[in-house]
Amino acid sequence: MSLLKLRRRPEPAVGMTDQQRRVMWRLAALLLDYPGEQTLAIVDELAAAVAELPEAVRAQLNPMLDHLRRTAPIALAQEYVETFDMRRRASLHLTFYAYGDTRKRGMALLRFKHAYRHAGVELGDEELPDHLAVLLEFAATVDPIGGERLLGEHVPVLELLRLSLSDSGSAYSGVLGAVLSTLPPVTTADRRRIAELAAEGPPEEEVGLDPFAMDPIGFTGSEARR
């Protein structure tokens, strides 16, 4: 076997073109953002875009679209806060699982900050750069290679989040499943890491993270993230 084959990145779980993967990331960014008026107003447009994706992906996203259609906006808002803001094991901040609010997390956040800056994106002061919706928007609209690299580095966290959402019966679990379908499958090493993260939980040392707080300027939904 050649060295080139040994180093080749495993194929994503679902076959998609590069354009389809970028569309998928863009859709997931919108669906994982706070369900504000702007997002709810374009549910039919999102559904039309989903219809162009492979069947395996449609099957994971359509339940979330149906949920947005049939649920009152105020109930959607309450559900989002209860799901992602009040449950430590369902955070959309990817570095939180391994580092919690500890000093070590600051260095992990710099990994995201440097990737965005390298691609010419300057972020503001309202959102941490490891928010999954921010990363997905970055991968979809700015730097698909750099964005995919960061997503791939956090496959264990994404799978842990999917499992947590699935256990609670959340429609958001399908969105995480769709994101994972654009990435290489979970490996045995990933499963060990998932077990470690699930057993340990996020560390609880409280520190200030203000120097690393950023909100993506121009990213769709940044206003909705409050």
Side-chain angles (χ1 to χ4, degrees):
M1 182 178 294
S2 70
L3 185 60
L4 177 61
K5 290 183 179 179
L6 286 172
R7 290 180 175 176
R8 184 175 297 163
R9 181 180 59 82
E11 293 297 322
V14 175
M16 281 184 271
T17 66
D18 289 343
Q19 178 62 23
Q20 285 178 322
R21 285 198 302 154
R22 293 181 71 166
V23 169
M24 170 60 246
W25 292 333
R26 178 93 164 109
L27 289 166
L30 290 165
L31 293 174
L32 289 172
D33 208 342
Y34 183 81
E37 292 182 5
Q38 293 181 346
T39 299
L40 297 179
I42 60 170
V43 169
D44 288 341
E45 296 177 37
L46 300 182
V50 169
E52 301 298 320
L53 297 175
E55 180 179 358
V57 178
R58 297 199 305 269
Q60 297 184 87
L61 293 180
N62 281 329
M64 186 67 222
L65 293 171
D66 292 340
H67 183 59
L68 293 176
R69 286 190 180 105
R70 67 172 181 258
T71 308
I74 190 170
L76 288 171
Q78 181 178 357
E79 175 192 25
Y80 187 90
V81 172
E82 291 177 350
T83 299
F84 296 118
D85 294 348
M86 301 182 70
R87 294 177 55 205
R88 288 173 58 82
R89 294 180 183 270
S91 173
L92 288 173
H93 292 281
L94 300 181
T95 65
F96 180 74
Y97 291 83
Y99 302 106
D101 289 325
T102 68
R103 291 173 178 83
K104 291 182 179 179
R105 187 179 174 201
M107 295 304 297
L109 290 170
L110 283 176
R111 176 83 172 86
F112 289 83
K113 180 180 178 181
H114 290 162
Y116 297 159
R117 181 169 292 169
H118 180 73
V121 176
E122 289 294 333
L123 303 180
D125 299 326
E126 299 299 324
E127 182 65 80
L128 293 174
D130 64 337
H131 193 285
L132 180 54
V134 174
L135 176 55
L136 287 166
E137 186 78 7
F138 173 75
T141 64
V142 180
D143 183 359
I145 295 176
E148 181 185 10
R149 184 179 300 115
L150 285 170
L151 287 167
E153 290 174 2
H154 291 85
V155 162
V157 169
L158 295 173
E159 174 64 4
L160 181 61
L161 176 56
R162 186 193 68 80
L163 291 170
S164 177
L165 294 171
S166 179
D167 286 345
S168 65
S170 173
Y172 285 103
S173 64
V175 183
L176 266 294
V179 171
L180 283 161
S181 73
T182 70
L183 303 170
V186 174
T187 65
T188 300
D190 289 335
R191 296 190 187 284
R192 286 197 294 267
R193 182 58 176 153
I194 291 166
E196 291 173 0
L197 292 171
E200 297 170 2
E204 297 186 2
E205 173 192 356
E206 297 291 336
V207 301
L209 291 172
D210 288 346
F212 305 100
M214 298 168 265
D215 185 53
I217 299 174
F219 280 3
T220 299
S222 60
E223 179 181 8
R225 278 190 293 277
R226 306 174 306 288

